[in-house]
Amino acid sequence: MIGKLAKEICGVELPVTVLESQAGFYLGTEEGSVPLSRESAEYYVTKNLAEAALASGKFTQRMNP
């Protein structure tokens, strides 16, 4: 899955992956090791929950950065 916001705002096609911030785990894109976009509206308590959401496609896509 390609990050919608990364493509629309930054013009790059990057895969959505599980990332971590102080707020928790989320679905987003990164370039190198630098986070570029947060694609999911949700934050997840565990990495496993975030990975399951990514695998199933069951997450809320953010429409704005």
Side-chain angles (χ1 to χ4, degrees):
M1 167 183 306
I2 299 297
K4 177 179 172 54
L5 291 176
K7 184 174 181 178
E8 289 180 2
I9 307 238
C10 301
V12 293
E13 291 189 6
L14 297 170
V16 175
T17 187
V18 175
L19 300 173
E20 184 178 13
S21 72
Q22 290 182 352
F25 295 92
Y26 64 97
L27 305 182
T29 62
E30 63 183 351
E31 194 163 36
S33 296
V34 179
L36 186 65
S37 67
R38 180 165 64 95
E39 301 288 333
S40 66
E42 301 86 359
Y43 283 99
Y44 302 91
V45 178
T46 67
K47 185 175 184 179
N48 285 342
L49 288 172
E51 288 172 341
L54 178 58
S56 69
K58 293 183 180 180
F59 66 94
T60 306
Q61 171 68 54
R62 293 181 69 208
M63 302 309 286
N64 298 303

